[in-house]
């Protein structure tokens, strides 16, 4: 964007304050909102230290341009997902508006991962298809989360089986309210190994009793990972029960 490049160049040349560079009346600031977002992006790429130094006036300019709500700051952060200066106001605004944060797309993962160092919601709900996840961003989100996570990994549209252990194992030391596999195609013989790996990695969930797998009404396979482990290994449903659960899931999804 030419206008943003021009402003970035003027800032790099030290041509006065941002207000003087913009030469905009208060009523005109809203028209510069997108331009300012790309100014932040440009500075973050070429001179991150200069961005840090000029951030107070850039932040005020963004606010004057109408960036006020959590959605406004998140829009800016989507354009510049690695800019810490945007992540903080986005996180604080979002927490003020909602104590439960929801993650449903890969872009949400990047957004929330960027915000978590600055604010922690009461509950983080993740309901997503594994194929939508960036492993790097997912690992960042898991490492930065301090609190409850509700995770639901959904099968991709083609229903091809994928174990997704590479997405589950980064959750070292994580405690979940509950952990379910919706539409799971895991076999009974595969579940103990998964439970043991997660247990050994420090993953824990709510619920009483020992580590086990339980099938519930809508076809969800719930993983209860507790400190206690049965001497004979974790209890798991039979293949027949898992197959019936998958068929229930398929029927409900087709409704």
């Amino acid at each position: 964007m030419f206008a943003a490049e021009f402003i970035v160049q003027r800032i790099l040349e030290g041509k006065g304050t941002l207000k003087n560079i913009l030469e905009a009346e208060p009523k005109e600031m809203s028209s510069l909102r997108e331009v300012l977002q790309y100014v932040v992006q440009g500075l973050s790429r070429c001179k991150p230290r200069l961005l840090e130094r000029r951030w107070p006036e850039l932040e005020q300019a963004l606010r004057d341009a109408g960036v006020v709500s959590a959605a406004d700051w998140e829009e800016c952060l989507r354009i510049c997902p690695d800019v810490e200066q945007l992540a903080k106001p986005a996180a604080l605004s979002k927490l003020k508006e909602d104590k439960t944060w929801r993650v449903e797309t890969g872009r949400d993962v990047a957004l929330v991962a960027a915000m978590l160092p600055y604010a922690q919601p009461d509950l983080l709900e993740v309901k997503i298809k594994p194929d939508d996840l960036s492993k790097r961003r997912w690992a960042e989100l898991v490492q930065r989360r301090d609190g409850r996570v509700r995770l639901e990994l959904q099968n991709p549209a083609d229903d091809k089986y994928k174990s997704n252990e590479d997405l589950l194992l980064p959750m070292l030391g994580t405690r979940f309210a509950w952990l379910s596999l919706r539409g799971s195609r895991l076999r009974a013989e595969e579940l103990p190994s998964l439970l043991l790996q997660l247990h050994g990695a420090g993953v824990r969930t709510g619920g009483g009793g020992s580590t086990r797998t339980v099938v519930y009404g809508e076809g969800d396979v719930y993983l209860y990972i507790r400190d206690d482990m049965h001497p004979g290994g974790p209890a798991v449903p039979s293949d027949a029960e898992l197959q019936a659960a998958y068929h229930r899931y398929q029927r409900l999804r087709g409704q």
Side-chain angles (χ1 to χ4, degrees), residues 6-199:
F6 173 78
I7 294 170
V8 168
Q9 188 59 40
R10 299 283 286 181
I11 292 174
L12 293 175
E13 294 171 357
K15 300 294 186 179
T17 66
L18 181 61
K19 185 176 181 180
N20 291 337
I21 293 172
L22 295 177
E23 296 182 339
E25 297 294 330
K27 63 182 180 181
E28 299 172 325
M29 287 299 295
S30 61
S31 65
L32 295 175
R33 176 168 166 169
E34 186 177 6
V35 173
L36 288 166
Q37 291 172 347
Y38 284 100
V39 168
V40 172
Q41 183 187 70
L43 284 175
S44 71
R45 289 175 175 174
C46 66
K47 291 287 184 179
R49 290 186 179 179
L50 181 58
L51 170 62
E52 183 177 357
R53 191 162 67 248
R54 302 294 293 261
W55 175 246
E57 56 182 331
L58 280 163
E59 180 181 15
Q60 186 58 54
L62 284 166
R63 292 186 185 278
D64 292 342
V67 179
V68 179
S69 69
D72 296 333
W73 285 109
E74 286 179 44
E75 178 189 340
C76 295
L77 193 57
R78 288 184 192 278
I79 294 174
C80 313
D82 295 313
V83 177
E84 296 179 2
Q85 289 83 359
L86 288 172
K88 185 175 181 178
L92 296 177
S93 298
K94 187 173 183 66
L95 187 64
K96 187 176 180 180
E97 293 184 9
D98 196 346
K99 303 300 183 185
T100 297
W101 293 3
R102 294 170 179 83
V103 174
E104 297 181 347
T105 68
R107 295 185 70 184
D108 291 342
V109 172
L111 200 67
V112 171
M115 292 191 291
L116 284 176
Y118 306 99
Q120 294 284 338
D122 292 344
L123 176 63
L124 181 61
E125 291 187 342
V126 182
K127 185 177 181 180
I128 196 168
K129 295 178 181 178
D131 287 351
D132 291 342
L133 285 171
S134 157
K135 294 178 183 178
R136 180 175 71 86
R137 294 293 189 186
W138 173 244
E140 288 176 350
L141 184 148
V142 170
Q143 291 165 6
R144 295 171 182 177
R145 173 57 176 155
D146 181 14
R148 294 189 299 152
V149 178
R150 182 173 292 162
L151 173 66
E152 181 180 313
L153 293 178
Q154 300 176 311
N155 269 358
D158 59 12
D159 274 340
K160 291 182 180 178
Y161 166 71
K162 294 182 180 180
S163 60
N164 301 313
E165 284 96 339
D166 55 340
L167 299 178
L168 295 175
L169 290 177
M171 302 182 297
L172 297 174
T174 301
R175 184 177 184 85
F176 291 88
W178 50 263
L179 179 59
S180 73
L181 305 176
R182 173 157 289 186
S184 171
R185 301 299 299 274
L186 286 168
R187 298 186 300 275
E189 65 182 20
E190 296 170 311
L191 286 170
S193 174
L194 175 60
L195 290 168
L196 288 169
Q197 287 186 68
L198 292 171
H199 185 278

